Amino acid sequence: GERDCSVQRRHQKVVEEAPSPAIDDPTRSAMQQAAVTAAADIGYVGAGTVEFLLDVERRDGDHQAFAFLEMNTRLQVEHPVTELVTGIDLVEWQLRVARGEALAFGQDDIVLDGHAIEVRLYAEDPANGYLPQTGTVEAWQPPTGVGIRVDAGIVAGQQVTAHYDPMLAKVIAHGRDRDEARRRLADALDRLICLGTTTNRTFLARVLRHPVFADGGATTSFLTDHDVTTVALDPREVAAVAGWRQLTATADAERHSPGLAGWTNATWLVDARPLRVGGDDVAVSLHVTDTGLSVSVEGEPFLVTGTPEALRVDGRPAHLSAHRLGEGRLLVHLPGADLVVSDPTELPPGADDAAGAGILTAPMHGAVTAVEATVGQDVTAGSQLVVMEAMKMEHVIRADVAGTLVEVVEVGDQVGVGAVVARIEPADTDG
């Protein structure tokens, strides 16, 4: 069988599936024969994958045109999709062949059953150039259900560091056909909880639900041609978070003072304050009514009802899960978003980032691999100053102002997220 790994970012695979929706039967037969011939001619023994590039616009005789790319002489990350459609444990057979056993089956014994799709859950921020992320896994709950498989390398409480590849888990779905597998996988991602470090969870779900991918038309340029990295903050989700915070506070007060929670000798009050969601301050107001909590988000009204464990917004379930951190901060999971939420009025002084105006900080944990200027040198705004590497990816830090470099890290330094890597004394532009 074959696997289609066309959806890629920076030549790294993001989605893998079997069989491929892009090739016809004559192409499948010709490609498989080419792979077997390549392995046989060099006497290759063991697990391996031959990779090809497919030209969707050209044919070579009776099949689509394809060209040899490389051979991976090992088991690949995406081997679970082959296992799910063939029923063969490739890990087991790799080990058995390595110790001299012969295969107990032939090609004619292999029958493909249904369709399987895998996505790679990464500790990265797709909206910020797929920048690797670090942190502590505060909550981890993989999805379960019919046709769902999760191969994970993390547990709650584990540190995600800059020293390894950013892949945290593989989430795979099998179905009777491609659309069933695709829908199952997108639903599984909605239910997967990984809080404490930014991941590409919601990005993966958007890829799976994109009409081009759903129709089987994704090529290696899919992520270049279609912007699925960013999504606007949904005010309904903000209303759900605000309602959850209020209902939780009321339930806590009820436990301490039964029957008195929310009591007032005045009229019902409107609680208006900003709610910090990620890096944005959102205007939110809450008002207790006879039918529930009336929540306004930037002037848009919502009705929140139910309990913190069974929340509804305008009658629809919110499926919210929250994990409390210190200083009044929450890590919130919703099907369409993972949010860091706080009340800015409760944050301690100095909690805001002081970077900017010539103070450059590290956006991630990592190692300094290059420094392009020396102390005392004049630099221009936008010029490259420092290159960092983490999780097999490089990130360039550029000057935000023109001026004189007065401080900079050294090559080989290990720096943490938020650490100052360079300081620039802005040029005097007066006169």
Side-chain angles (χ1 to χ4, degrees):
E2 81 286 341
R3 298 187 291 262
D4 189 318
C5 308
S6 297
V7 179
Q8 302 181 10
R9 58 101 173 98
R10 295 179 176 175
H11 306 297
Q12 294 260 341
K13 298 166 186 174
V14 175
V15 182
E16 301 110 344
E17 58 183 306
S20 169
I23 63 176
D24 53 30
D25 287 338
T27 305
R28 177 173 289 110
S29 178
M31 194 176 284
Q32 290 180 353
Q33 186 56 54
V36 171
T37 299
D41 282 357
I42 63 173
Y44 185 78
V45 177
T49 304
V50 180
E51 294 194 355
F52 300 96
L53 283 173
L54 178 73
D55 187 339
V56 295
E57 298 179 350
R58 200 163 56 84
R59 297 193 71 83
D60 185 2
D62 65 343
H63 60 77
Q64 297 159 282
F66 60 88
F68 173 80
L69 179 63
E70 66 179 359
M71 181 173 182
N72 286 288
T73 54
R74 55 177 170 77
L75 205 62
Q76 289 193 281
V77 172
E78 61 271 21
H79 73 269
V81 295
T82 298
E83 294 183 338
L84 288 176
V85 297
T86 63
I88 295 174
D89 188 329
L90 296 180
V91 177
E92 175 189 355
W93 276 103
Q94 175 180 245
L95 296 173
R96 294 177 70 168
V97 168
R99 70 184 187 186
E101 293 187 34
L103 292 177
F105 48 85
Q107 184 66 51
D108 292 341
D109 298 318
I110 299 173
V111 178
L112 302 184
D113 175 27
H115 200 98
I117 307 177
E118 170 185 297
V119 292
R120 304 184 184 194
L121 183 72
Y122 281 119
E124 67 179 18
D125 186 358
N128 191 19
Y130 302 100
L131 194 68
Q133 303 292 300
T134 58
T136 301
V137 179
E138 302 288 351
W140 166 248
Q141 184 177 316
T144 59
V146 176
I148 300 301
R149 166 177 166 175
V150 178
D151 294 359
I154 57 170
V155 294
Q158 181 175 331
Q159 288 284 334
V160 178
T161 74
H163 304 303
Y164 306 99
D165 184 281
M167 186 168 65
L168 305 177
K170 300 182 292 185
V171 188
I172 313 102
H174 179 264
R176 291 166 296 183
D177 54 34
R178 184 175 187 268
D179 197 56
E180 182 175 67
R182 182 185 65 84
R183 291 174 181 273
R184 279 181 175 173
L185 186 52
D187 175 69
L189 288 169
D190 287 347
R191 293 182 283 115
L192 183 149
I193 297 175
C194 184
L195 298 175
T197 183
T198 301
T199 74
N200 62 343
R201 178 185 70 87
T202 57
F203 159 78
L204 294 171
R206 290 194 295 274
V207 169
L208 294 171
R209 291 183 170 116
H210 194 282
V212 172
F213 181 87
D215 290 342
T219 69
T220 52
S221 66
F222 174 80
L223 293 179
T224 302
D225 298 338
H226 307 283
D227 182 16
V228 290
T229 60
T230 58
V231 63
L233 188 63
D234 187 344
R236 179 179 178 274
E237 293 176 335
V238 177
V241 174
W244 184 93
R245 293 176 80 250
Q246 180 62 41
L247 292 173
T248 300
T250 300
D252 290 344
E254 180 68 30
R255 282 191 290 271
H256 289 97
S257 304
L260 296 178
W263 182 89
T264 177
N265 63 352
T267 58
W268 284 327
L269 304 175
V270 175
D271 183 6
R273 66 176 68 190
L275 199 62
R276 184 161 297 171
V277 182
D280 299 323
D281 287 349
V282 183
V284 176
S285 65
L286 298 93
H287 182 205
V288 178
T289 71
D290 290 331
T291 54
L293 274 175
S294 176
V295 181
S296 173
V297 179
E298 297 290 348
E300 186 174 353
F302 299 92
L303 181 65
V304 178
T305 56
T307 66
E309 296 76 24
L311 204 67
R312 304 181 77 86
V313 179
D314 289 344
R316 295 162 51 197
H319 302 300
L320 181 149
S321 175
H323 184 83
R324 300 184 197 225
L325 295 177
E327 300 175 348
R329 294 184 301 137
L330 290 176
L331 295 177
V332 179
H333 165 90
L334 286 154
D338 292 320
L339 306 172
V340 179
V341 179
S342 61
D343 183 339
T345 65
E346 298 175 357
L347 294 177
D352 289 335
D353 186 6
I359 302 175
L360 306 178
T361 59
M364 59 187 183
H365 287 73
V368 177
T369 58
V371 177
E372 307 294 342
T374 59
V375 171
Q377 181 177 335
D378 290 337
V379 297
T380 58
S383 61
Q384 179 173 314
L385 293 183
V386 176
V387 180
M388 291 181 58
E389 182 181 287
M391 299 179 179
K392 302 196 303 185
M393 293 181 65
E394 285 191 342
H395 181 74
V396 176
I397 300 175
R398 301 179 183 276
D400 63 345
V401 294
T404 303
L405 188 64
V406 297
E407 180 184 340
V408 69
V409 290
E410 296 181 354
V411 173
D413 285 354
Q414 293 282 341
V415 297
V417 61
V420 175
V421 296
R423 295 180 189 270
I424 303 168
E425 183 177 299
D428 185 2
T429 58
D430 294 340

